[in-house]
Amino acid sequence: MKKCALINDLSGFGKCSLGAAIPVISVMGIEAHPMPTAALSNQTGYESYKMADLSGYMPEFFNEWKKLNVDFDGILTGYFSNINQIECVLNFIKSQHALVVVDPVMGDGGERYKGFSDELCGKIQELALYADIITPNETELFLLTGESNTEKAARSLIERGIGSVVVTGIKDSGKIGSAVFEKDKSEIFYTKYTDGSYSGTGDLFSAIVTGLALCGRDTFEAVKTAAEFISFVLENSEIEDRNNGIDFEKYLYGLGAYILEKQ
Ligand code: PXL
């Protein structure tokens, strides 16, 4: 079976990060191997939470993985809280020949998230340049490049060696788009716009794109499928609190069936 390392936090409530990525990768018939960067009672959007930072364990954990002599097919990274975690992950990536997907979590709506210093953003940029696929929103794309035109920004990253730049959350009168930029081609996929942000949707998106890429699908098909899946789940979710995430569990089987059908 193919093996995918998932580097992200583990939150007890919020159905995000590893809690979203593990089931998605598993249902696609790929082994999910989590490397937790932190453990939280619940994600940070709730009024209160407790967090155990696991940064100090990461070098030892990666060292143990090294002893297991595993070749990973894929590596997916998400949220980082400090540059040491990224340094560790860079060493791991350099030791593998895997498809690397980086979700460069840094901000949204034109603002950086709390705690994202110039230094941390710079390190995330360094990591992104090792990726085959990156999945920034427009804010993150601008932070990565210093360029405020989406197409120009994406093209500048492709010139620096990133194979596919996937830009999420592009709003356009009642629709929301995910654009894929590659060297010789670009395309945007629209779905219905639903106001506000829902916990875990970005993590589900990057995990679906990673899983499909590992199943041999091109990034255009992977992004179209991920966007349509999340849009469908959102429309069919009963949401009391956006922090709780969306009802993806009810439709996960559909992702598994999709893989089997088109094998
Ligand atoms: O993907 C959302 C997410 C993941 N992990 C943590 C978070 C959030 C959103 O706020 O706080 C710890």
Side-chain angles (χ1 to χ4, degrees):
M1 282 176 75
K2 291 203 167 154
K3 295 177 173 56
C4 186
L6 301 171
I7 304 166
N8 215 327
D9 69 83
L10 181 63
S11 291
F13 280 82
K15 300 201 293 191
C16 57
S17 33
L18 289 178
I22 296 170
V24 164
I25 292 298
S26 298
V27 85
M28 292 190 183
I30 299 160
E31 288 182 13
H33 298 280
M35 172 64 67
T37 56
L40 292 89
S41 54
N42 45 270
Q43 54 98 333
T44 61
Y46 291 94
E47 249 176 61
S48 163
Y49 65 92
K50 284 280 178 236
M51 174 169 80
D53 186 345
L54 301 176
S55 309
Y57 290 97
M58 287 175 66
E60 295 175 57
F61 280 24
F62 276 123
N63 208 30
E64 295 300 318
W65 278 15
K66 203 169 169 184
K67 290 188 206 166
L68 297 173
N69 240 330
V70 180
D71 289 326
F72 287 93
D73 300 286
I75 299 171
L76 168 61
T77 75
Y79 175 89
F80 292 105
S81 58
N82 64 62
I83 59 168
N84 297 336
Q85 294 180 334
I86 302 174
E87 197 52 53
C88 236
V89 170
L90 278 167
N91 288 333
F92 172 60
I93 287 173
K94 289 173 194 169
S95 75
Q96 294 288 326
H97 302 281
L99 174 96
V100 177
V101 182
V102 171
D103 184 9
V105 178
M106 290 190 278
D108 204 2
E111 307 265 345
R112 292 187 197 193
Y113 295 133
K114 222 169 65 193
F116 280 76
S117 62
D118 285 349
E119 194 189 22
L120 185 53
C121 291
K123 202 73 187 163
I124 292 169
Q125 185 195 45
E126 187 184 337
L127 174 69
L129 294 176
Y130 281 87
D132 298 290
I133 304 174
I134 60 170
T135 59
N137 59 37
E138 283 183 304
T139 303
E140 290 159 345
L141 182 69
F142 305 152
L143 285 169
L144 284 175
T145 57
E147 166 63 67
S148 59
N149 174 283
T150 301
E151 169 130 26
K152 273 193 194 157
R155 296 264 159 237
S156 77
L157 291 170
I158 289 166
E159 266 163 37
R160 297 182 75 180
I162 301 175
S164 306
V165 176
V166 179
V167 186
T168 62
I170 300 173
K171 291 186 193 110
D172 184 2
S173 56
K175 298 177 296 183
I176 188 144
S178 302
V180 182
F181 294 92
E182 290 188 355
K183 198 158 181 272
D184 304 314
K185 191 178 164 194
S186 66
E187 196 170 349
I188 183 158
F189 303 99
Y190 286 106
T191 54
K192 193 177 141 197
Y193 177 62
T194 311
D195 192 28
S197 74
Y198 297 84
S199 177
T201 50
D203 304 313
L204 289 167
F205 183 87
S206 61
I208 296 169
V209 170
T210 303
L212 288 172
L214 288 173
C215 290
R217 310 303 162 82
D218 68 48
T219 313
F220 296 91
E221 180 187 337
V223 167
K224 182 173 188 284
T225 306
E228 285 174 356
F229 179 80
I230 290 165
S231 173
F232 176 83
V233 173
L234 254 173
E235 277 200 53
N236 290 281
S237 289
E238 286 170 41
I239 296 169
E240 278 172 26
D241 180 345
R242 286 161 191 219
N243 285 311
N244 292 339
I246 62 175
D247 300 353
F248 71 84
E249 298 90 333
K250 291 194 285 187
Y251 306 105
L252 266 180
Y253 71 93
L255 284 178
Y258 177 79
I259 298 288
L260 288 176
E261 237 169 61
K262 296 183 75 183
Q263 224 159 26

